[in-house]
């Protein structure tokens, strides 16, 4: 399985990164894991605008879903389109939210472009992937994701404060793509995001192979301090992801 980082900026786009979006590919199937603000631009640079087979939105905060509305234009109006209807998995309300973001009531439904599926805690098959999702600690309904393919495991925290569900889901993952929005010592609101240290602790408890830190808030973050905080808690390899990074497991 191959993971391409399209966007990794937390909360809003940064000067050098779009918001959360990760293209996960295996056996010729491309899954867009989150589709945050600005990531369609990166999709054209690091991927293929046409070649997305499914979308999974971990939650309905703008920085994780806005470009799934924008992407409707491509699927519906490309000169060689329309492209086949494709599945979108999201928490409850995804269909209504994307429809509202796309346009006014007279624009109609998006059902010609997307088939909508509601996430619930549990497992299902999606293309070549065995997918497991579980609710994590964030103010809106949010699912962390575990993708398994050919004996390899990618876990993605989505947005989450510390919680047991995240550690369960990341158990022995080869790659753990984990948010690290905060630093210790700041006046962080509870139950919203992880610090670099907490991301490292979750990685250590889950016994993952590699920790990929993401969702740093560009305008306020300190990548080096976040990285160092994570390495104090996790002994394995730690990386700060950037747009265009590719990881293969
Ligand atoms: Zn976010
Ligand atoms: Zn969020």
């Amino acid at each position: 399985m191959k993971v391409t980082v399209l966007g990794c900026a937390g909360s809003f786009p940064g000067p050098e990164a779009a918001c959360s979006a990760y293209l996960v590919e295996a056996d010729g199937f491309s899954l867009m894991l989150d589709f945050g603000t600005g990531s369609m631009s990166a999709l054209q640079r690091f991927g293929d605008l046409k070649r997305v087979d499914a979308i999974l939105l971990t939650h309905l905060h703008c920085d994780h879903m806005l470009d799934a509305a924008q992407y409707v234009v491509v699927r519906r109006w490309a000169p060689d389109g329309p492209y086949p209807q494709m599945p979108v998995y999201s928490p409850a309300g995804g269909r209504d939210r994307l429809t509202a973001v796309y346009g006014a009531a007279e624009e109609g439904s998006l059902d010609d472009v997307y088939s909508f599926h509601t996430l619930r805690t549990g497992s299902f098959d999606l293309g070549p992937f065995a997918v497991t999702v579980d609710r994590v600690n964030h103010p809106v309904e949010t699912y962390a994701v575990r993708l398994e393919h050919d004996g390899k495991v990618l876990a993605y925290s989505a947005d989450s404060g510390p919680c047991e569900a995240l550690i369960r889901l990341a158990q022995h993952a080869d790659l753990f793509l984990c948010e690290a929005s905060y630093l210790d010592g700041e006046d962080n609101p509870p139950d919203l995001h992880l610090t670099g240290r907490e991301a490292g602790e979750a990685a250590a408890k889950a016994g993952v192979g590699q920790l990929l830190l993401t969702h740093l808030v560009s305008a306020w973050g300190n990548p080096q301090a976040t990285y160092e905080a994570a390495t104090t808690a996790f002994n394995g390899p730690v990386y700060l992801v950037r747009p265009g990074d590719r990881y293969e497991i």
Side-chain angles (χ1 to χ4, degrees):
M1 139 165 66
K2 187 171 78 176
V3 186
T4 303
V5 178
L6 298 182
C8 53
S11 304
F12 54 87
E16 290 165 13
C19 289
S20 296
Y22 310 92
L23 197 61
V24 187
E25 297 167 274
D27 296 349
F29 188 94
S30 297
L31 169 64
M32 184 69 87
L33 201 52
D34 280 337
F35 210 161
T37 323
S39 57
M40 259 185 75
S41 175
L43 174 62
Q44 293 167 81
R45 183 165 176 198
F46 302 116
D48 182 339
L49 205 51
K50 282 189 196 179
R51 285 206 51 246
V52 179
D53 298 299
I55 297 168
L56 192 159
L57 305 175
T58 59
H59 63 303
L60 299 178
H61 278 158
C62 292
D63 61 318
H64 295 256
M65 52 69 76
L66 273 187
D67 277 21
Q70 197 79 80
Y71 190 53
V72 168
V73 176
V74 172
R75 305 292 301 189
R76 187 183 275 165
W77 300 113
D80 60 346
Y83 301 149
Q85 190 200 43
M86 65 185 293
V88 174
Y89 292 79
S90 78
R95 180 173 180 267
D96 288 348
R97 180 70 69 84
L98 285 176
T99 304
V101 169
Y102 183 74
E106 58 267 24
E107 299 260 10
S109 89
L110 304 182
D111 293 345
D112 58 319
V113 173
Y114 293 143
S115 61
F116 290 94
H117 305 266
T118 302
L119 292 172
R120 306 242 185 273
T121 294
S123 300
F124 58 97
D125 290 329
L126 176 54
F129 302 110
V131 184
T132 303
V133 299
D134 202 352
R135 285 284 299 271
V136 287
N137 188 9
H138 202 52
V140 299
E141 184 180 352
T142 302
Y143 293 88
V145 181
R146 180 184 178 92
L147 294 178
E148 300 182 42
H149 174 263
D150 205 16
K152 300 292 183 182
V153 177
L154 166 70
Y156 171 43
S157 64
D159 285 359
S160 177
C163 64
E164 286 304 313
L166 181 59
I167 292 159
R168 274 199 309 273
L169 211 67
Q171 206 61 225
H172 303 308
D174 297 281
L175 277 185
F176 181 30
L177 183 59
C178 187
E179 73 124 286
S181 306
Y182 291 152
L183 283 170
D184 288 315
E186 296 176 340
D187 191 12
N188 300 324
D191 304 320
L192 187 62
H193 291 297
L194 297 169
T195 65
R197 177 184 54 79
E198 288 167 338
E201 286 173 357
K205 284 183 189 166
V208 305
Q210 302 178 67
L211 172 61
L212 312 183
L213 299 172
T214 191
H215 203 275
L216 277 67
V217 181
S218 301
W220 306 320
N222 182 332
Q224 190 57 32
T226 304
Y227 171 84
E228 283 168 13
T231 58
T232 61
F234 178 62
N235 288 329
V238 179
Y239 304 96
L240 284 165
V241 304
R242 291 186 178 80
D245 283 355
R246 285 196 167 91
Y247 295 87
E248 202 152 349
I249 52 174

